[in-house]
Amino acid sequence: MRTEPLLSQADDLLARGRAENAAHLLAPIVGRQPENVEAWHRMARAHLDMGDLNGALRSATAAWQLDPRGPETLFWLSRAATELGRHREAIDAAAAACREDPGNPRLHNRLAHAQLAAGRVGDAVDGLKIAIELAGYDADLHVTLGRAMFAAGRPLSARESINRALSLEPGHQGAHRTLALFEIAMESVVDASSLAQAADEFAESMRVGPHGRVDERAILARDACAYAARVTVTWCLIFLLALGVLSATSLVAVPAGLYLALLALGASAACAAVLFRPALGRRF
């Protein structure tokens, strides 16, 4: 059976976010050809995209048993191990992949992600600096270095790294998302102590613990809702003040129902602002 067209079709499905369809397509291939390492790679990715972390690790392990020194195999083994919080295995696999293919920036980026997930910020920064000397053209490396720099308490260097990534790839979604996360983290920073706290919390947000990884999109959505709620409260107060002035000067007769509506809207928005903006340490 020729599998190349089916593997290409699986790649297309994965790129379009249809991981479950890709897994259904790949299952007969690995069933009939359990020695097909490339099919196992894609199966590992499909399971990761579906959130089936144990399935991803099983697929990556199947590939590793066939190809224990393959950089791509080690990449997926590392990714699956990271998402399960098996940090030593994830770092060891990523480091082995880098040794096998030292010029591949994707593998160095994977190693840095594994280290950040384990809380080893200093190791990630050091490794990324070396990797960027070899592959400074890779925007992903600059984004990851920016995150690591912020976690190390160096927000200006972090922004410089993100800006370098955007100069290489202006539409880089990860870079734009990271800048938004920086803004959230810096909101409460007023001195060195609060900066250190924000950096620690940002570092903690990249760790993978017993409850899995934090959803960054949920953080950004929460912050957007909080901003909208704060704006609504402000405008409600402005309108109430204006209506009060008009009523006091007898220029316009203001219905009592309008006051009640504005008070209700302002109170609801204030509750939403509190709900969507918990303590800083719970944002990440």
Side-chain angles (χ1 to χ4, degrees):
M1 180 176 67
R2 293 185 66 246
T3 59
E4 290 80 5
L6 294 175
L7 294 179
S8 296
Q9 186 178 349
D11 287 336
D12 181 63
L13 290 169
L14 290 167
R16 289 188 286 143
R18 297 173 60 182
E20 188 171 352
N21 296 90
H24 287 313
L25 179 66
L26 292 164
I29 300 175
V30 296
R32 296 190 186 97
Q33 298 180 8
E35 74 285 356
N36 192 321
V37 174
E38 293 185 359
W40 284 117
H41 293 164
R42 289 160 175 81
M43 185 67 88
R45 177 182 172 183
H47 282 293
L48 281 169
D49 290 352
M50 290 188 297
D52 180 9
L53 305 183
N54 289 311
L57 184 61
R58 286 194 297 270
S59 297
T61 301
W64 178 78
Q65 291 172 343
L66 298 164
D67 182 33
R69 298 181 62 180
E72 187 70 9
T73 295
L74 292 165
F75 175 90
W76 291 110
L77 185 64
S78 175
R79 268 206 62 185
T82 287
E83 298 305 322
L84 284 166
R86 298 168 64 162
H87 299 304
R88 182 182 294 276
E89 295 174 39
I91 292 171
D92 288 347
C98 291
R99 288 193 296 270
E100 294 295 327
D101 187 4
N104 190 332
R106 177 167 168 263
L107 302 178
H108 290 283
N109 201 41
R110 167 89 287 274
L111 175 58
H113 278 288
Q115 291 166 332
L116 290 171
R120 293 170 56 173
V121 174
D123 291 342
V125 170
D126 292 341
L128 285 165
K129 287 180 178 179
I130 296 171
I132 285 174
E133 289 182 2
L134 300 171
Y137 56 84
D138 188 88
D140 290 341
L141 284 177
H142 290 286
V143 172
T144 308
L145 178 60
R147 289 176 169 241
M149 285 289 192
F150 196 100
R154 299 169 61 183
L156 295 180
S157 297
R159 289 183 181 275
E160 288 175 3
S161 293
I162 301 301
N163 288 334
R164 281 194 289 272
L166 289 173
S167 68
L168 292 166
E169 191 177 330
H172 197 290
Q173 293 184 359
H176 289 291
R177 187 164 61 247
T178 298
L179 285 177
L181 291 171
F182 286 173
E183 292 298 327
I184 296 173
M186 290 294 291
E187 284 182 352
S188 65
V189 173
V190 294
D191 53 21
S193 176
S194 57
L195 174 59
Q197 181 181 356
D200 288 344
E201 290 170 349
F202 190 84
E204 189 65 25
S205 75
M206 291 185 289
R207 295 195 65 171
V208 177
H211 303 295
R213 189 182 293 277
V214 173
D215 185 352
E216 292 179 350
R217 289 179 177 82
I219 296 171
L220 297 177
R222 175 181 289 273
D223 193 64
C225 290
Y227 176 78
R230 292 196 302 272
V231 170
T232 301
V233 171
T234 301
W235 279 108
C236 284
L237 292 174
I238 291 172
F239 280 125
L240 284 170
L241 180 60
L243 290 176
V245 171
L246 291 173
S247 180
T249 57
S250 301
L251 294 175
V252 177
V254 180
L258 183 56
Y259 280 112
L260 292 175
L262 286 172
L263 286 171
L265 179 60
S268 299
C271 290
V274 172
L275 175 65
F276 287 116
R277 291 306 300 266
L280 180 65
R282 292 172 56 194
R283 290 188 201 163
F284 299 100

